[in-house]
Amino acid sequence: MVTITRAFSGFSVDDLAAALTFYRDTLGLDARDTGMGLELHVTGGEPVFVYPKGEAHKPATYTVLNLVVPEVDVAVADLKAAGVQLERYEGLHQDADGVARSTDPSQGPTIAWFCDPARNVLSIIQA
């Protein structure tokens, strides 16, 4: 059996400086440049590692980071005020703001998606 001392997730970006500005200044996360990439300190647990791949970067086709918020509508307003555009997905019912809402929690959360500057998909999910 492998002895594991800690674990963390990570994803790539094409422009580390743009990612730092987005995660720190636009989203307000504790984003730290380590010299090898960024550490996103999101909830007090292990940080998420964001590493540079330059032109070799391919945006993820899935959600790489889910951010739980108290109220999606407030977070959507904050994102829009910061110039962030929410994503729309064909076949998924989203309201005028781009939020997918379920009246039945077993059918999924209240959620909205957006992209970072490297076109990686992130979400905000109502707690």
Side-chain angles (χ1 to χ4, degrees):
M1 185 66 62
V2 176
T3 301
I4 299 170
T5 60
R6 67 185 273 250
F8 62 92
S9 65
F11 56 89
S12 72
V13 295
D14 55 355
D15 183 336
L16 201 58
L20 177 60
T21 298
F22 179 77
Y23 286 101
R24 182 191 60 209
D25 300 340
T26 303
L27 296 185
L29 296 178
D30 179 1
R32 304 172 191 175
D33 189 339
T34 68
M36 294 176 46
L38 304 177
E39 285 185 346
L40 305 179
H41 296 265
V42 182
T43 61
E46 288 295 325
V48 176
F49 185 62
V50 179
Y51 55 94
K53 280 190 79 175
E55 292 181 18
H57 167 74
K58 300 273 189 266
T61 58
Y62 51 87
T63 306
V64 299
L65 186 60
N66 296 288
L67 303 169
V68 179
V69 298
E71 294 183 44
V72 164
D73 294 320
V74 172
V76 165
D78 291 344
L79 288 171
K80 286 183 173 186
V84 176
Q85 182 177 349
L86 275 75
E87 296 294 305
R88 295 199 164 275
Y89 295 104
E90 189 174 322
L92 183 63
H93 178 67
Q94 292 170 274
D95 67 17
D97 287 325
V99 178
R101 299 177 193 275
S102 175
T103 55
D104 179 358
S106 70
Q107 298 299 309
T110 298
I111 184 170
W113 296 269
F114 59 100
C115 291
D116 72 3
R119 300 291 306 149
N120 290 309
V121 179
L122 299 104
S123 80
I124 48 174
I125 298 176
Q126 187 159 309

